[in-house]
Amino acid sequence: MILLAAALALLQDPAPQPFFAPRRRALVVGASQYEHLGRLRYAAGDAEKFAAALTGRLGFEADAVKLLTDETADPLLTPTAGHVLGELEALLADQRGAATDLFVFYFSGHGIGLPEGDYLMPTDARMESAVRVGLPVREIVERLATARMKNVLVIVDACREGEANAFGAELRALGDAARIAVVLGCEPGQRSYEDARLGGGIFTASLLQSLNEEGLRDPVSGA
């Protein structure tokens, strides 16, 4: 009976309104100017474009999207591990309606897989200091899981090279355990390439293109 009632309701409303989570928040991080790990040309710019897509095409409130890049003039908004975790805590502090909120975490930059786990790398990090100054993905997932939101998406545009400890394996496992959706920019053992013709990373450029394609959007849910 419940399914029948739902079907009748859809038939009576030929143009159902898209569903949107009542509160949508995002933390968007881009790191390009690496001192020791190899500079990236477009990571910071990709983060800026993704944040603009959230506040533009996808209707996120501007004050609900926090952008951290190494191309900002504000030293408090650079993508250090401390700044990322601090901004994440600030965005998660208000728990009103948390169960139905949508939260998006986006990172573009270098990721490192180590025996100790996966780390997102700030621009001043070295391989030998990854555990000390890198951002453990487990800390991000733990904070998101503790917030008890049901609609969480983690997007990481980073290379996944390394035969012994390819970046992303721990992140995927943690996401599965916490029921958090995880999208990575490439397959295990592969690189996440940048392309001068696109003016950005190939994965993020494709993601942004897809967000603008009406044919990929569900007319009922808005997904």
Side-chain angles (χ1 to χ4, degrees):
M1 291 298 293
I2 294 175
L3 291 176
L4 178 59
L8 290 174
L10 288 174
L11 290 173
Q12 292 169 356
D13 183 1
Q17 295 300 307
F19 168 79
F20 292 103
R23 300 179 69 229
R24 287 162 284 166
R25 292 170 282 175
L27 177 55
V28 181
V29 183
S32 288
Q33 304 303 317
Y34 285 90
E35 300 174 21
H36 311 289
L37 297 178
R39 295 197 171 192
L40 300 172
R41 297 179 64 184
Y42 303 113
D46 282 348
E48 293 173 359
K49 293 175 184 176
F50 185 73
L54 294 180
T55 57
R57 177 73 178 85
L58 299 180
F60 282 59
E61 296 292 337
D63 60 358
V65 177
K66 182 62 69 172
L67 173 66
L68 279 70
T69 78
D70 54 2
E71 296 182 358
T72 179
D74 188 340
L76 297 179
L77 295 179
T78 54
T80 67
H83 290 165
V84 172
L85 289 177
E87 295 296 342
L88 181 61
E89 292 285 4
L91 285 167
L92 296 178
D94 186 353
Q95 294 297 302
R96 290 176 299 169
T100 56
D101 286 357
L102 169 63
F103 194 96
V104 178
F105 177 88
Y106 170 97
F107 177 87
S108 181
H110 284 308
I112 301 293
L114 298 172
E116 295 85 351
D118 287 344
Y119 292 82
L120 304 180
M121 303 299 281
T123 52
D124 62 344
R126 301 173 183 266
M127 280 295 294
E128 55 269 26
S129 65
V131 175
R132 180 168 55 84
V133 302
L135 176 57
V137 299
R138 74 178 71 90
E139 293 198 25
I140 296 172
V141 174
E142 286 174 359
R143 283 165 169 77
L144 292 170
T146 301
R148 300 184 182 280
M149 290 179 291
K150 296 180 179 179
N151 304 305
V152 179
L153 173 63
V154 173
I155 302 171
V156 178
D157 191 357
C159 295
R160 302 185 63 191
E161 296 175 294
E163 294 182 3
N165 301 286
F167 173 81
E170 183 193 31
L171 177 55
R172 278 205 178 279
L174 291 171
D176 288 346
R179 301 182 65 83
I180 288 174
V182 174
V183 178
L184 299 172
C186 60
E187 293 295 321
Q190 301 297 313
R191 296 181 64 187
S192 193
Y193 287 97
E194 298 182 308
D195 191 312
R197 294 169 298 177
L198 296 173
I202 294 175
F203 167 77
T204 295
S206 299
L207 174 62
L208 294 172
Q209 179 181 349
S210 297
L211 291 176
N212 287 320
E213 292 187 12
E214 289 294 340
L216 298 179
R217 184 179 298 275
D218 184 276
V220 177
S221 68

